[in-house]
mmCIF file with all atom_site columns, all heavy atoms in Angstrom:
data_model
loop_
_atom_site.group_PDB
_atom_site.id
_atom_site.type_symbol
_atom_site.label_atom_id
_atom_site.label_alt_id
_atom_site.label_comp_id
_atom_site.label_asym_id
_atom_site.label_entity_id
_atom_site.label_seq_id
_atom_site.pdbx_PDB_ins_code
_atom_site.Cartn_x
_atom_site.Cartn_y
_atom_site.Cartn_z
_atom_site.occupancy
_atom_site.B_iso_or_equiv
_atom_site.pdbx_formal_charge
_atom_site.auth_seq_id
_atom_site.auth_comp_id
_atom_site.auth_asym_id
_atom_site.auth_atom_id
_atom_site.pdbx_PDB_model_num
ATOM 1   N N   . VAL V 1 1  ? 9.090   4.944  -10.757 1.00 76.00 ? 1  VAL V N   1
ATOM 2   C CA  . VAL V 1 1  ? 9.035   3.504  -10.473 1.00 76.00 ? 1  VAL V CA  1
ATOM 3   C C   . VAL V 1 1  ? 7.748   2.945  -11.075 1.00 76.00 ? 1  VAL V C   1
ATOM 4   O O   . VAL V 1 1  ? 6.658   3.238  -10.591 1.00 76.00 ? 1  VAL V O   1
ATOM 5   C CB  . VAL V 1 1  ? 9.063   3.224  -8.955  1.00 76.00 ? 1  VAL V CB  1
ATOM 6   C CG1 . VAL V 1 1  ? 9.039   1.709  -8.698  1.00 76.00 ? 1  VAL V CG1 1
ATOM 7   C CG2 . VAL V 1 1  ? 10.266  3.863  -8.314  1.00 76.00 ? 1  VAL V CG2 1
ATOM 8   N N   . PRO V 1 2  ? 7.823   2.155  -12.148 1.00 76.00 ? 2  PRO V N   1
ATOM 9   C CA  . PRO V 1 2  ? 6.605   1.624  -12.766 1.00 76.00 ? 2  PRO V CA  1
ATOM 10  C C   . PRO V 1 2  ? 5.943   0.568  -11.887 1.00 76.00 ? 2  PRO V C   1
ATOM 11  O O   . PRO V 1 2  ? 6.615   -0.204 -11.195 1.00 76.00 ? 2  PRO V O   1
ATOM 12  C CB  . PRO V 1 2  ? 7.112   1.006  -14.072 1.00 76.00 ? 2  PRO V CB  1
ATOM 13  C CG  . PRO V 1 2  ? 8.539   0.657  -13.790 1.00 76.00 ? 2  PRO V CG  1
ATOM 14  C CD  . PRO V 1 2  ? 9.036   1.716  -12.850 1.00 76.00 ? 2  PRO V CD  1
ATOM 15  N N   . LEU V 1 3  ? 4.616   0.533  -11.919 1.00 71.00 ? 3  LEU V N   1
ATOM 16  C CA  . LEU V 1 3  ? 3.890   -0.462 -11.132 1.00 71.00 ? 3  LEU V CA  1
ATOM 17  C C   . LEU V 1 3  ? 4.191   -1.883 -11.603 1.00 71.00 ? 3  LEU V C   1
ATOM 18  O O   . LEU V 1 3  ? 4.091   -2.839 -10.840 1.00 71.00 ? 3  LEU V O   1
ATOM 19  C CB  . LEU V 1 3  ? 2.380   -0.202 -11.232 1.00 71.00 ? 3  LEU V CB  1
ATOM 20  C CG  . LEU V 1 3  ? 1.813   0.898  -10.319 1.00 71.00 ? 3  LEU V CG  1
ATOM 21  C CD1 . LEU V 1 3  ? 0.339   1.107  -10.607 1.00 71.00 ? 3  LEU V CD1 1
ATOM 22  C CD2 . LEU V 1 3  ? 2.032   0.544  -8.857  1.00 71.00 ? 3  LEU V CD2 1
ATOM 23  N N   . SER V 1 4  ? 4.567   -2.017 -12.870 1.00 67.00 ? 4  SER V N   1
ATOM 24  C CA  . SER V 1 4  ? 4.852   -3.337 -13.426 1.00 67.00 ? 4  SER V CA  1
ATOM 25  C C   . SER V 1 4  ? 6.069   -3.990 -12.770 1.00 67.00 ? 4  SER V C   1
ATOM 26  O O   . SER V 1 4  ? 6.298   -5.187 -12.920 1.00 67.00 ? 4  SER V O   1
ATOM 27  C CB  . SER V 1 4  ? 5.086   -3.232 -14.939 1.00 67.00 ? 4  SER V CB  1
ATOM 28  O OG  . SER V 1 4  ? 6.156   -2.330 -15.214 1.00 67.00 ? 4  SER V OG  1
ATOM 29  N N   . ALA V 1 5  ? 6.850   -3.180 -12.026 1.00 66.00 ? 5  ALA V N   1
ATOM 30  C CA  . ALA V 1 5  ? 8.036   -3.718 -11.365 1.00 66.00 ? 5  ALA V CA  1
ATOM 31  C C   . ALA V 1 5  ? 7.673   -4.648 -10.212 1.00 66.00 ? 5  ALA V C   1
ATOM 32  O O   . ALA V 1 5  ? 8.520   -5.387 -9.715  1.00 66.00 ? 5  ALA V O   1
ATOM 33  C CB  . ALA V 1 5  ? 8.911   -2.576 -10.845 1.00 66.00 ? 5  ALA V CB  1
ATOM 34  N N   . GLY V 1 6  ? 6.395   -4.605 -9.790  1.00 75.00 ? 6  GLY V N   1
ATOM 35  C CA  . GLY V 1 6  ? 5.953   -5.482 -8.712  1.00 75.00 ? 6  GLY V CA  1
ATOM 36  C C   . GLY V 1 6  ? 5.982   -4.805 -7.359  1.00 75.00 ? 6  GLY V C   1
ATOM 37  O O   . GLY V 1 6  ? 6.736   -3.845 -7.149  1.00 75.00 ? 6  GLY V O   1
ATOM 38  N N   . ILE V 1 7  ? 5.150   -5.284 -6.448  1.00 86.00 ? 7  ILE V N   1
ATOM 39  C CA  . ILE V 1 7  ? 5.044   -4.708 -5.107  1.00 86.00 ? 7  ILE V CA  1
ATOM 40  C C   . ILE V 1 7  ? 5.180   -5.822 -4.083  1.00 86.00 ? 7  ILE V C   1
ATOM 41  O O   . ILE V 1 7  ? 4.514   -6.859 -4.182  1.00 86.00 ? 7  ILE V O   1
ATOM 42  C CB  . ILE V 1 7  ? 3.683   -3.996 -4.929  1.00 86.00 ? 7  ILE V CB  1
ATOM 43  C CG1 . ILE V 1 7  ? 3.475   -2.926 -5.995  1.00 86.00 ? 7  ILE V CG1 1
ATOM 44  C CG2 . ILE V 1 7  ? 3.602   -3.356 -3.542  1.00 86.00 ? 7  ILE V CG2 1
ATOM 45  C CD1 . ILE V 1 7  ? 2.100   -2.301 -5.978  1.00 86.00 ? 7  ILE V CD1 1
ATOM 46  N N   . SER V 1 8  ? 6.008   -5.618 -3.094  1.00 90.00 ? 8  SER V N   1
ATOM 47  C CA  . SER V 1 8  ? 6.200   -6.620 -2.055  1.00 90.00 ? 8  SER V CA  1
ATOM 48  C C   . SER V 1 8  ? 4.989   -6.643 -1.127  1.00 90.00 ? 8  SER V C   1
ATOM 49  O O   . SER V 1 8  ? 4.233   -5.660 -1.045  1.00 90.00 ? 8  SER V O   1
ATOM 50  C CB  . SER V 1 8  ? 7.462   -6.311 -1.244  1.00 90.00 ? 8  SER V CB  1
ATOM 51  O OG  . SER V 1 8  ? 7.272   -5.128 -0.482  1.00 90.00 ? 8  SER V OG  1
ATOM 52  N N   . PRO V 1 9  ? 4.794   -7.748 -0.395  1.00 90.00 ? 9  PRO V N   1
ATOM 53  C CA  . PRO V 1 9  ? 3.689   -7.815 0.570   1.00 90.00 ? 9  PRO V CA  1
ATOM 54  C C   . PRO V 1 9  ? 3.759   -6.702 1.613   1.00 90.00 ? 9  PRO V C   1
ATOM 55  O O   . PRO V 1 9  ? 2.729   -6.188 2.049   1.00 90.00 ? 9  PRO V O   1
ATOM 56  C CB  . PRO V 1 9  ? 3.864   -9.194 1.207   1.00 90.00 ? 9  PRO V CB  1
ATOM 57  C CG  . PRO V 1 9  ? 4.580   -9.998 0.178   1.00 90.00 ? 9  PRO V CG  1
ATOM 58  C CD  . PRO V 1 9  ? 5.495   -9.043 -0.512  1.00 90.00 ? 9  PRO V CD  1
ATOM 59  N N   . GLU V 1 10 ? 4.968   -6.322 2.013   1.00 92.00 ? 10 GLU V N   1
ATOM 60  C CA  . GLU V 1 10 ? 5.125   -5.265 3.008   1.00 92.00 ? 10 GLU V CA  1
ATOM 61  C C   . GLU V 1 10 ? 4.614   -3.928 2.472   1.00 92.00 ? 10 GLU V C   1
ATOM 62  O O   . GLU V 1 10 ? 3.870   -3.210 3.163   1.00 92.00 ? 10 GLU V O   1
ATOM 63  C CB  . GLU V 1 10 ? 6.588   -5.129 3.404   1.00 92.00 ? 10 GLU V CB  1
ATOM 64  C CG  . GLU V 1 10 ? 6.837   -4.089 4.491   1.00 92.00 ? 10 GLU V CG  1
ATOM 65  C CD  . GLU V 1 10 ? 8.309   -3.937 4.816   1.00 92.00 ? 10 GLU V CD  1
ATOM 66  O OE1 . GLU V 1 10 ? 9.122   -4.057 3.871   1.00 92.00 ? 10 GLU V OE1 1
ATOM 67  O OE2 . GLU V 1 10 ? 8.641   -3.700 5.996   1.00 92.00 ? 10 GLU V OE2 1
ATOM 68  N N   . ALA V 1 11 ? 4.999   -3.589 1.236   1.00 91.00 ? 11 ALA V N   1
ATOM 69  C CA  . ALA V 1 11 ? 4.546   -2.332 0.640   1.00 91.00 ? 11 ALA V CA  1
ATOM 70  C C   . ALA V 1 11 ? 3.043   -2.350 0.409   1.00 91.00 ? 11 ALA V C   1
ATOM 71  O O   . ALA V 1 11 ? 2.351   -1.346 0.625   1.00 91.00 ? 11 ALA V O   1
ATOM 72  C CB  . ALA V 1 11 ? 5.281   -2.083 -0.680  1.00 91.00 ? 11 ALA V CB  1
ATOM 73  N N   . LEU V 1 12 ? 2.510   -3.494 -0.028  1.00 92.00 ? 12 LEU V N   1
ATOM 74  C CA  . LEU V 1 12 ? 1.071   -3.608 -0.247  1.00 92.00 ? 12 LEU V CA  1
ATOM 75  C C   . LEU V 1 12 ? 0.309   -3.429 1.065   1.00 92.00 ? 12 LEU V C   1
ATOM 76  O O   . LEU V 1 12 ? -0.744  -2.777 1.101   1.00 92.00 ? 12 LEU V O   1
ATOM 77  C CB  . LEU V 1 12 ? 0.741   -4.969 -0.863  1.00 92.00 ? 12 LEU V CB  1
ATOM 78  C CG  . LEU V 1 12 ? -0.739  -5.219 -1.206  1.00 92.00 ? 12 LEU V CG  1
ATOM 79  C CD1 . LEU V 1 12 ? -1.239  -4.175 -2.202  1.00 92.00 ? 12 LEU V CD1 1
ATOM 80  C CD2 . LEU V 1 12 ? -0.923  -6.631 -1.756  1.00 92.00 ? 12 LEU V CD2 1
ATOM 81  N N   . ALA V 1 13 ? 0.841   -3.993 2.151   1.00 94.00 ? 13 ALA V N   1
ATOM 82  C CA  . ALA V 1 13 ? 0.211   -3.827 3.466   1.00 94.00 ? 13 ALA V CA  1
ATOM 83  C C   . ALA V 1 13 ? 0.179   -2.356 3.865   1.00 94.00 ? 13 ALA V C   1
ATOM 84  O O   . ALA V 1 13 ? -0.821  -1.873 4.419   1.00 94.00 ? 13 ALA V O   1
ATOM 85  C CB  . ALA V 1 13 ? 0.969   -4.644 4.511   1.00 94.00 ? 13 ALA V CB  1
ATOM 86  N N   . MET V 1 14 ? 1.244   -1.614 3.550   1.00 94.00 ? 14 MET V N   1
ATOM 87  C CA  . MET V 1 14 ? 1.277   -0.191 3.875   1.00 94.00 ? 14 MET V CA  1
ATOM 88  C C   . MET V 1 14 ? 0.245   0.584  3.056   1.00 94.00 ? 14 MET V C   1
ATOM 89  O O   . MET V 1 14 ? -0.372  1.534  3.554   1.00 94.00 ? 14 MET V O   1
ATOM 90  C CB  . MET V 1 14 ? 2.677   0.381  3.627   1.00 94.00 ? 14 MET V CB  1
ATOM 91  C CG  . MET V 1 14 ? 3.741   -0.113 4.582   1.00 94.00 ? 14 MET V CG  1
ATOM 92  S SD  . MET V 1 14 ? 3.436   0.283  6.328   1.00 94.00 ? 14 MET V SD  1
ATOM 93  C CE  . MET V 1 14 ? 2.782   -1.300 6.917   1.00 94.00 ? 14 MET V CE  1
ATOM 94  N N   . VAL V 1 15 ? 0.032   0.187  1.812   1.00 94.00 ? 15 VAL V N   1
ATOM 95  C CA  . VAL V 1 15 ? -0.980  0.834  0.982   1.00 94.00 ? 15 VAL V CA  1
ATOM 96  C C   . VAL V 1 15 ? -2.366  0.631  1.592   1.00 94.00 ? 15 VAL V C   1
ATOM 97  O O   . VAL V 1 15 ? -3.185  1.565  1.669   1.00 94.00 ? 15 VAL V O   1
ATOM 98  C CB  . VAL V 1 15 ? -0.951  0.279  -0.461  1.00 94.00 ? 15 VAL V CB  1
ATOM 99  C CG1 . VAL V 1 15 ? -2.154  0.787  -1.256  1.00 94.00 ? 15 VAL V CG1 1
ATOM 100 C CG2 . VAL V 1 15 ? 0.343   0.677  -1.153  1.00 94.00 ? 15 VAL V CG2 1
ATOM 101 N N   . ILE V 1 16 ? -2.637  -0.591 2.033   1.00 95.00 ? 16 ILE V N   1
ATOM 102 C CA  . ILE V 1 16 ? -3.938  -0.886 2.649   1.00 95.00 ? 16 ILE V CA  1
ATOM 103 C C   . ILE V 1 16 ? -4.110  -0.082 3.934   1.00 95.00 ? 16 ILE V C   1
ATOM 104 O O   . ILE V 1 16 ? -5.183  0.491  4.193   1.00 95.00 ? 16 ILE V O   1
ATOM 105 C CB  . ILE V 1 16 ? -4.068  -2.398 2.922   1.00 95.00 ? 16 ILE V CB  1
ATOM 106 C CG1 . ILE V 1 16 ? -4.086  -3.162 1.601   1.00 95.00 ? 16 ILE V CG1 1
ATOM 107 C CG2 . ILE V 1 16 ? -5.327  -2.691 3.735   1.00 95.00 ? 16 ILE V CG2 1
ATOM 108 C CD1 . ILE V 1 16 ? -4.032  -4.671 1.759   1.00 95.00 ? 16 ILE V CD1 1
ATOM 109 N N   . VAL V 1 17 ? -3.052  -0.025 4.738   1.00 95.00 ? 17 VAL V N   1
ATOM 110 C CA  . VAL V 1 17 ? -3.107  0.763  5.973   1.00 95.00 ? 17 VAL V CA  1
ATOM 111 C C   . VAL V 1 17 ? -3.372  2.232  5.657   1.00 95.00 ? 17 VAL V C   1
ATOM 112 O O   . VAL V 1 17 ? -4.186  2.895  6.324   1.00 95.00 ? 17 VAL V O   1
ATOM 113 C CB  . VAL V 1 17 ? -1.787  0.610  6.760   1.00 95.00 ? 17 VAL V CB  1
ATOM 114 C CG1 . VAL V 1 17 ? -1.705  1.643  7.883   1.00 95.00 ? 17 VAL V CG1 1
ATOM 115 C CG2 . VAL V 1 17 ? -1.679  -0.785 7.347   1.00 95.00 ? 17 VAL V CG2 1
ATOM 116 N N   . LEU V 1 18 ? -2.702  2.760  4.640   1.00 94.00 ? 18 LEU V N   1
ATOM 117 C CA  . LEU V 1 18 ? -2.890  4.162  4.261   1.00 94.00 ? 18 LEU V CA  1
ATOM 118 C C   . LEU V 1 18 ? -4.319  4.425  3.783   1.00 94.00 ? 18 LEU V C   1
ATOM 119 O O   . LEU V 1 18 ? -4.941  5.422  4.167   1.00 94.00 ? 18 LEU V O   1
ATOM 120 C CB  . LEU V 1 18 ? -1.898  4.543  3.166   1.00 94.00 ? 18 LEU V CB  1
ATOM 121 C CG  . LEU V 1 18 ? -0.452  4.783  3.601   1.00 94.00 ? 18 LEU V CG  1
ATOM 122 C CD1 . LEU V 1 18 ? 0.472   4.836  2.396   1.00 94.00 ? 18 LEU V CD1 1
ATOM 123 C CD2 . LEU V 1 18 ? -0.341  6.068  4.404   1.00 94.00 ? 18 LEU V CD2 1
ATOM 124 N N   . GLY V 1 19 ? -4.841  3.550  2.938   1.00 94.00 ? 19 GLY V N   1
ATOM 125 C CA  . GLY V 1 19 ? -6.176  3.752  2.391   1.00 94.00 ? 19 GLY V CA  1
ATOM 126 C C   . GLY V 1 19 ? -7.267  3.656  3.442   1.00 94.00 ? 19 GLY V C   1
ATOM 127 O O   . GLY V 1 19 ? -8.104  4.560  3.586   1.00 94.00 ? 19 GLY V O   1
ATOM 128 N N   . VAL V 1 20 ? -7.270  2.558  4.190   1.00 94.00 ? 20 VAL V N   1
ATOM 129 C CA  . VAL V 1 20 ? -8.277  2.374  5.235   1.00 94.00 ? 20 VAL V CA  1
ATOM 130 C C   . VAL V 1 20 ? -8.096  3.411  6.343   1.00 94.00 ? 20 VAL V C   1
ATOM 131 O O   . VAL V 1 20 ? -9.077  3.969  6.856   1.00 94.00 ? 20 VAL V O   1
ATOM 132 C CB  . VAL V 1 20 ? -8.202  0.943  5.808   1.00 94.00 ? 20 VAL V CB  1
ATOM 133 C CG1 . VAL V 1 20 ? -9.185  0.771  6.960   1.00 94.00 ? 20 VAL V CG1 1
ATOM 134 C CG2 . VAL V 1 20 ? -8.487  -0.087 4.720   1.00 94.00 ? 20 VAL V CG2 1
ATOM 135 N N   . GLY V 1 21 ? -6.838  3.692  6.682   1.00 92.00 ? 21 GLY V N   1
ATOM 136 C CA  . GLY V 1 21 ? -6.569  4.694  7.709   1.00 92.00 ? 21 GLY V CA  1
ATOM 137 C C   . GLY V 1 21 ? -7.072  6.070  7.315   1.00 92.00 ? 21 GLY V C   1
ATOM 138 O O   . GLY V 1 21 ? -7.609  6.812  8.147   1.00 92.00 ? 21 GLY V O   1
ATOM 139 N N   . SER V 1 22 ? -6.904  6.448  6.046   1.00 91.00 ? 22 SER V N   1
ATOM 140 C CA  . SER V 1 22 ? -7.391  7.741  5.575   1.00 91.00 ? 22 SER V CA  1
ATOM 141 C C   . SER V 1 22 ? -8.903  7.836  5.710   1.00 91.00 ? 22 SER V C   1
ATOM 142 O O   . SER V 1 22 ? -9.441  8.877  6.112   1.00 91.00 ? 22 SER V O   1
ATOM 143 C CB  . SER V 1 22 ? -6.982  7.963  4.119   1.00 91.00 ? 22 SER V CB  1
ATOM 144 O OG  . SER V 1 22 ? -5.578  8.052  3.990   1.00 91.00 ? 22 SER V OG  1
ATOM 145 N N   . ALA V 1 23 ? -9.603  6.756  5.373   1.00 90.00 ? 23 ALA V N   1
ATOM 146 C CA  . ALA V 1 23 ? -11.059 6.741  5.488   1.00 90.00 ? 23 ALA V CA  1
ATOM 147 C C   . ALA V 1 23 ? -11.491 6.873  6.950   1.00 90.00 ? 23 ALA V C   1
ATOM 148 O O   . ALA V 1 23 ? -12.405 7.646  7.275   1.00 90.00 ? 23 ALA V O   1
ATOM 149 C CB  . ALA V 1 23 ? -11.625 5.459  4.876   1.00 90.00 ? 23 ALA V CB  1
ATOM 150 N N   . ILE V 1 24 ? -10.845 6.128  7.844   1.00 89.00 ? 24 ILE V N   1
ATOM 151 C CA  . ILE V 1 24 ? -11.187 6.185  9.270   1.00 89.00 ? 24 ILE V CA  1
ATOM 152 C C   . ILE V 1 24 ? -10.883 7.570  9.837   1.00 89.00 ? 24 ILE V C   1
ATOM 153 O O   . ILE V 1 24 ? -11.691 8.146  10.586  1.00 89.00 ? 24 ILE V O   1
ATOM 154 C CB  . ILE V 1 24 ? -10.413 5.107  10.053  1.00 89.00 ? 24 ILE V CB  1
ATOM 155 C CG1 . ILE V 1 24 ? -10.872 3.712  9.628   1.00 89.00 ? 24 ILE V CG1 1
ATOM 156 C CG2 . ILE V 1 24 ? -10.607 5.290  11.556  1.00 89.00 ? 24 ILE V CG2 1
ATOM 157 C CD1 . ILE V 1 24 ? -10.038 2.593  10.221  1.00 89.00 ? 24 ILE V CD1 1
ATOM 158 N N   . ALA V 1 25 ? -9.711  8.121  9.475   1.00 85.00 ? 25 ALA V N   1
ATOM 159 C CA  . ALA V 1 25 ? -9.321  9.431  9.987   1.00 85.00 ? 25 ALA V CA  1
ATOM 160 C C   . ALA V 1 25 ? -10.302 10.504 9.531   1.00 85.00 ? 25 ALA V C   1
ATOM 161 O O   . ALA V 1 25 ? -10.685 11.392 10.313  1.00 85.00 ? 25 ALA V O   1
ATOM 162 C CB  . ALA V 1 25 ? -7.909  9.784  9.513   1.00 85.00 ? 25 ALA V CB  1
#
């Protein structure tokens, strides 16, 4: 799945949760 296909706000929110969550964990 190429990144150029676009990312929905829901998927982007999950990426942020994953990144910040990984740092906190």
Side-chain angles (χ1 to χ4, degrees):
V1 181
L3 279 176
S4 58
I7 304 173
S8 68
E10 183 183 35
L12 182 59
M14 291 299 100
V15 171
I16 295 173
V17 168
L18 284 167
V20 176
S22 295
I24 294 173

